[in-house]
Amino acid sequence: PSTALHRRFLFLIVATMGPSQRRVLIIGGSFAGLCVARDLKDHFLVTIVDAKEFFEYTPGVLRAYVKPKHLDALTFTLYPVIEGRMACKFIWGEVTELNGVERTATIQPMFVKDTEVIDFDFCVIAAGCNFGVFHKWGESLWFPTIHAAARPEGSWPHLDERFLEGRRRHIFEEYKAIKDLNEKNASVLVVGAGFIGVEWITELEHFFKNLKLTIIDALPQCLGPLPAKAATYCSNYMKRHGIKEHYNTKYNAKDPNFYTSIGLAGGATKEYVCIGVKASNYFMPTETTSEKGPGGGGWILMDMNLAVKTREGKVWSTDEQGYPRIFAIGDCNYGCVDGPGPMDNWPVPAIPKISYPGEEEAIVAIRNIEKVDKLVFRGIKTTNMGYPIELATMHWPWGAGMFATSLGPDDACFVAGANWVKNSGLMCVWGSPCAVQKEIIEASKVDECAFGFVGRLIWHFVHHTPVHLFGGGPRWGY
């Protein structure tokens, strides 16, 4: 009897104790969100919530619209990866509200009528962004329409892109539409000659030879601020393949003279807008989002520790000791820590909204979560070398200056070393070797995100660099 009573007493103690591991909520299951989960899963209770059921390799999705079977190489279903391979928790649903004071998230799960509220010890927002700068909800082909408020007002409300099959059906429909245009020798205008616009128009040219293609941009060259050598390389490719280019030309669909000036009197049969980005942080309080920025603002503000802050500059969600508990990484955040004077003097100048800096920011947020956990929950105040534990600060990641631009499936150019200064960087790989390089990057990154061994082996030390010989990171890594 005494043994049974002792066991019952131990059971009651264990049942009433809180979890020994802290709970981390990650909003977004793409590059940066999965990076956070991979690092924290062994020592924290990690939950990922995403409004769609699948991962999609966004940099390669253009190819899927002209070659639909390519979608299979870019996607995988999140649930078996997150719960099966990574041993984390996955919630398929949309976050509708985040409460920084109470540290709770209100979620609308799929297939459930009512919302649910979950609490957490730490939260990492890695929710990404949209690309349709002229659309109310940022709708574009390049990212699925997944938010509840956006779907009814979208251009394809009959398709539910929260499902992988819905995404696939959308790609099939667009492929058929392009195929019909090709059979009619139709004219297509691509607005924006950044790397997305250039990739898209060269994909169209390669797979649909009858299209009459035109690309425009307000800047004096393609590829925006990237080096002139790369722009010239891409421009020469487009000239050789019969693509008409018009630079220093602003898009104005309401002006008939605009179309005449670019050789499309009466307008183009089809137009694709490939400029800008737009925030989709609908669940965040207004006080935590920017009043300005690309697409009209709405980006999550963050400090040097990547902690979410308010417009007044105060950390939004702190514990009793003043340590931050909610971090914003990747495309969802403001993309810089600005300051007075020119951008060269800012603590963190503007960062491109691409996957590499998002994962670099993920490492900083990961280390800060681990440090706050030691300071607050484990009572550890110093490092193994006896130095006081201090939160890591963000820097402008050198890898944010790497751009690989496809020119159809058989050609490409790769720029490294670019930064916020116009025409910076160096085109170091081009031609068919660069096309192969892009294929390797794509396949290995998808494998890494799917928690594959080969992908993790290739990419782990890219962001977990033990020694930084150059760039703005700490000498001995994070």
Side-chain angles (χ1 to χ4, degrees):
S2 60
T3 302
L5 183 61
H6 179 65
R7 288 177 178 173
R8 184 175 300 178
F9 178 73
L10 289 177
F11 172 80
L12 290 174
I13 292 177
V14 173
T16 55
M17 288 175 61
S20 59
Q21 295 173 302
R22 260 56 66 194
R23 300 156 300 165
V24 178
L25 175 67
I26 302 171
I27 302 175
S30 193
F31 295 100
L34 291 172
C35 179
V36 174
R38 284 195 301 272
D39 270 25
L40 296 184
K41 69 182 185 66
D42 292 330
H43 302 289
F44 294 83
L45 300 175
V46 176
T47 299
I48 299 178
V49 57
D50 199 298
K52 62 186 188 306
E53 68 166 340
F54 60 95
F55 168 90
E56 179 176 279
Y57 184 80
T58 306
V61 75
L62 301 173
R63 180 74 49 82
Y65 280 102
V66 294
K67 186 181 178 183
K69 68 178 182 180
H70 190 61
L71 183 69
D72 291 336
L74 307 174
T75 56
F76 58 81
T77 306
L78 287 170
Y79 178 85
V81 169
I82 293 173
E83 298 222 355
R85 297 183 181 180
M86 300 175 68
C88 299
K89 175 67 177 176
F90 175 61
I91 299 176
W92 182 8
E94 180 179 348
V95 176
T96 60
E97 182 183 356
L98 195 64
N99 189 318
V101 177
E102 299 182 4
R103 293 200 284 276
T104 61
T106 303
I107 301 173
Q108 178 61 69
M110 286 290 291
F111 314 117
V112 176
K113 181 179 179 180
D114 299 324
T115 59
E116 297 178 359
V117 178
I118 64 172
D119 56 352
F120 53 82
D121 297 302
F122 299 95
C123 177
V124 179
I125 308 168
C129 68
N130 288 328
F131 297 92
V133 68
F134 294 139
H135 191 275
K136 175 183 177 182
W137 298 103
E139 174 190 271
S140 72
L141 296 176
W142 327 130
F143 192 79
T145 302
I146 57 176
H147 297 100
R151 289 178 53 247
E153 300 183 38
S155 303
W156 38 87
H158 60 293
L159 297 171
D160 192 341
E161 293 188 287
R162 296 174 298 179
F163 293 85
L164 180 55
E165 185 59 25
R167 182 63 166 159
R168 192 186 309 278
R169 291 295 169 184
H170 184 195
I171 286 174
F172 282 150
E173 286 189 7
E174 191 65 30
Y175 172 77
K176 183 180 183 304
I178 298 171
K179 188 176 180 181
D180 291 342
L181 291 172
N182 186 63
E183 292 174 354
K184 298 175 182 177
N185 298 318
S187 59
V188 175
L189 173 63
V190 173
V191 181
F195 64 91
I196 293 179
V198 170
E199 285 196 352
W200 179 232
I201 204 165
T202 53
E203 293 285 352
L204 289 172
E205 186 280 328
H206 181 88
F207 288 93
F208 298 97
K209 296 296 185 180
N210 295 333
L211 294 176
K212 300 174 182 178
L213 300 168
T214 302
I215 188 169
I216 68 166
D217 200 284
L219 296 176
Q221 65 176 33
C222 62
L223 297 190
L226 295 183
K229 186 177 180 180
T232 301
Y233 185 87
C234 292
S235 182
N236 289 340
Y237 177 95
M238 291 188 282
K239 285 184 175 68
R240 291 197 306 270
H241 291 80
I243 298 171
K244 297 179 180 179
E245 304 168 82
H246 295 272
Y247 301 114
N248 293 310
T249 303
K250 291 185 178 181
Y251 176 65
N252 188 355
K254 297 180 180 180
D255 182 5
N257 295 327
F258 161 72
Y259 291 102
T260 303
S261 69
I262 60 174
L264 293 173
T269 309
K270 178 70 175 180
E271 297 181 5
Y272 292 99
V273 177
C274 301
I275 56 175
V277 289
K278 196 161 189 173
S280 56
N281 303 306
Y282 313 124
F283 56 91
M284 292 297 290
T286 304
E287 62 176 329
T288 64
T289 58
S290 66
E291 298 180 85
K292 58 183 180 179
W299 306 97
I300 301 175
L301 300 169
M302 78 289 188
D303 66 7
M304 288 296 292
N305 305 128
L306 296 178
V308 177
K309 68 177 183 180
T310 65
R311 292 178 178 178
E312 288 73 36
K314 298 179 180 179
V315 178
W316 179 52
S317 177
T318 59
D319 56 29
E320 294 77 7
Q321 299 184 42
Y323 292 110
R325 295 298 190 89
I326 300 179
F327 303 85
I329 63 174
D331 292 352
C332 68
N333 70 27
Y334 193 35
C336 67
V337 179
D338 57 9
M343 191 181 297
D344 288 345
N345 297 332
W346 291 5
V348 180
I351 299 173
K353 293 192 177 297
I354 54 178
S355 60
Y356 183 101
E359 291 179 300
E360 192 77 0
E361 291 174 5
I363 300 301
V364 176
I366 288 164
R367 295 298 172 258
N368 284 338
I369 288 174
E370 292 174 337
K371 289 179 178 181
V372 173
D373 182 62
K374 289 179 179 179
L375 291 165
V376 175
F377 293 99
R378 298 167 60 189
I380 301 174
K381 305 298 182 182
T382 60
T383 67
N384 292 336
M385 301 299 292
Y387 297 108
I389 292 178
E390 297 179 351
L391 299 191
T393 56
M394 187 53 197
H395 63 281
W396 202 94
W398 67 268
M402 297 190 298
F403 296 87
T405 304
S406 293
L407 301 169
D410 303 320
D411 204 341
C413 70
F414 180 77
V415 172
N419 56 34
W420 59 93
V421 179
K422 291 183 179 180
N423 297 319
S424 60
L426 175 69
M427 186 178 76
C428 48
V429 187
W430 58 89
S432 56
C434 189
V436 173
Q437 176 192 29
K438 278 210 69 174
E439 295 289 339
I440 294 172
I441 292 172
E442 177 180 281
S444 59
K445 284 300 295 183
V446 172
D447 185 68
E448 180 198 31
C449 291
F451 207 65
F453 175 76
V454 174
R456 285 184 289 146
L457 190 66
I458 292 172
W459 289 101
H460 178 80
F461 286 107
V462 171
H463 295 291
H464 299 79
T465 310
V467 180
H468 291 121
L469 299 179
F470 55 89
R475 175 67 66 196
W476 301 109
Y478 289 105

